[in-house]
Amino acid sequence: MMEDPQWQTLRSEVEKVVDLVDSPLRLAGKDLNWLRVANPDQLLEAAVVGAGSKSEAELDPFWAATWRAAIGLDAFLARLDLTGTRVLELGCGSGQAGTAAAMRGALVTSTDSVELALKVAKLNSWFVHERIQFRQLIWGQEQLDEPKFPVLIGSDLVYDPNLFPLLEPCARQHLAEGGRMYLSEPHRQTGDRFSTWIRQAGWKTIEHDIDLNDERVPVRVFECWL
């Protein structure tokens, strides 16, 4: 990956905006070097510079954080046979869940509202590039021009109840009949609110607790279907 000129060119493009650092990460049972934003404050500065020309969704700096929920979702995906399955990742951030799904044999479309996030995720998933593609998707404003997906995934998307009315119709637009959506979050109170809200919106749900053996509360995965 480091020797690929296209990868190097993309990294140079990203690092004109933010500095990246390599950090260890274990996904799908393999140890990886994962690119993270070295100084998240740079994203806030970039958001200020871009304010006025882009929407709030396109400037969201929270994608760069390391979300424990993504590790829990990766552990949950180990229970599924994703070989050859088309998977849509919502809110990919730096790309952990989508990359994990691609490593497990899925054909992944990873989406985010933030172009910079998509570029970082593309860098991180370069070694499985034949099984993953990246598209910008702003909930409530856009819909992908692709067949619906049998599996939707997302990590830490339900931290803000104001996003529920945008996430739900987006999921409904893109989930194939009989499909499943898997959303992970670290047992926040907002997750409890989502549990009630999504049922009231007409979805059926099962909740799975994923113990990461780190002496912290398990990660919760909502399995949702229509």
Side-chain angles (χ1 to χ4, degrees), residues 1 15 17 42 55 59 62 67 98 110 121 123 126 141 151 164 176 196-197 202 210 219-220 225:
M1 182 167 62
E15 290 195 312
V17 182
Q42 283 183 288
S55 69
L59 297 171
F62 296 111
W67 298 115
S110 281
L123 287 171
W126 200 269
Q141 298 182 30
V151 174
F164 298 173
T196 300
W197 190 94
I210 309 300
V219 168
R220 172 167 47 184
W225 69 98

Side-chain angles (χ1 to χ4, degrees), residues 85-90 92 98 106-112 131-137 144 146-147 149 151 153:
T85 301
R86 294 177 59 252
V87 172
L88 174 64
E89 181 183 17
L90 300 173
C92 70
L107 303 175
V108 181
T109 298
S110 281
T111 65
D112 204 287
R131 292 197 298 275
I132 190 167
Q133 63 174 330
F134 295 90
R135 301 279 299 276
Q136 187 174 35
L137 179 64
L144 297 180
E146 295 187 35
F149 296 81
V151 174
I153 61 174

Side-chain angles (χ1 to χ4, degrees), residues 2 36-37 49 61-62 86 90 98 133 139 174 183 207 225:
M2 295 295 292
R36 304 186 191 278
V37 175
V49 171
F62 296 111
R86 294 177 59 252
L90 300 173
Q133 63 174 330
W139 304 343
H174 292 95
L183 303 177
E207 297 181 16
W225 69 98

Side-chain angles (χ1 to χ4, degrees), residues 25 27 36 65-75 96 155-156 184-188 210-221:
L25 179 70
L27 277 183
R36 304 186 191 278
T66 301
W67 298 115
R68 183 170 169 268
I71 301 300
L73 184 55
D74 172 42
Q96 285 180 231
S155 61
D156 233 328
S184 65
E185 62 87 37
H187 267 286
R188 294 192 185 97
I210 309 300
D211 188 352
L212 297 182
N213 298 312
D214 56 2
E215 300 183 351
R216 298 174 64 184
V217 65
V219 168
R220 172 167 47 184
V221 175

Side-chain angles (χ1 to χ4, degrees), residues 198-199 202-206 223-226:
I198 195 70
R199 291 187 179 98
W203 294 69
K204 298 178 178 65
T205 66
I206 299 173
E223 178 179 354
C224 309
W225 69 98
L226 291 165

Side-chain angles (χ1 to χ4, degrees), residues 67-207:
W67 298 115
R68 183 170 169 268
I71 301 300
L73 184 55
D74 172 42
F76 178 82
L77 293 180
R79 304 178 179 183
L80 308 178
D81 181 4
L82 295 176
T83 305
T85 301
R86 294 177 59 252
V87 172
L88 174 64
E89 181 183 17
L90 300 173
C92 70
S94 65
Q96 285 180 231
T99 301
M103 291 172 70
R104 299 181 190 282
L107 303 175
V108 181
T109 298
S110 281
T111 65
D112 204 287
S113 63
V114 182
E115 290 183 8
L116 187 63
L118 293 169
K119 291 177 180 179
V120 174
K122 187 173 183 178
L123 287 171
N124 280 323
S125 66
W126 200 269
F127 66 101
V128 286
H129 66 88
E130 72 280 1
R131 292 197 298 275
I132 190 167
Q133 63 174 330
F134 295 90
R135 301 279 299 276
Q136 187 174 35
L137 179 64
I138 301 176
W139 304 343
Q141 298 182 30
E142 301 170 330
Q143 182 175 351
L144 297 180
D145 184 19
E146 295 187 35
K148 292 186 176 184
F149 296 81
V151 174
L152 272 57
I153 61 174
S155 61
D156 233 328
L157 303 184
V158 298
Y159 61 90
D160 182 357
N162 292 321
L163 297 178
F164 298 173
L166 300 177
L167 171 62
E168 191 276 335
C170 180
R172 191 179 286 266
Q173 288 170 341
H174 292 95
L175 186 65
E177 184 177 355
R180 289 289 192 273
M181 175 170 65
Y182 303 101
L183 303 177
S184 65
E185 62 87 37
H187 267 286
R188 294 192 185 97
Q189 289 185 347
T190 51
D192 296 336
R193 293 177 63 179
F194 176 78
S195 180
T196 300
W197 190 94
I198 195 70
R199 291 187 179 98
Q200 291 175 343
W203 294 69
K204 298 178 178 65
T205 66
I206 299 173
E207 297 181 16

Side-chain angles (χ1 to χ4, degrees), residues 1-15 20-22 33-35 119-129:
M1 182 167 62
M2 295 295 292
E3 297 177 356
D4 190 318
Q6 290 183 313
W7 187 91
Q8 292 284 9
T9 297
L10 181 57
R11 178 166 184 171
S12 296
E13 181 181 332
V14 170
E15 290 195 312
L20 299 174
V21 293
D22 290 284
N33 285 320
W34 198 257
L35 289 176
K119 291 177 180 179
V120 174
K122 187 173 183 178
L123 287 171
N124 280 323
S125 66
W126 200 269
F127 66 101
V128 286
H129 66 88

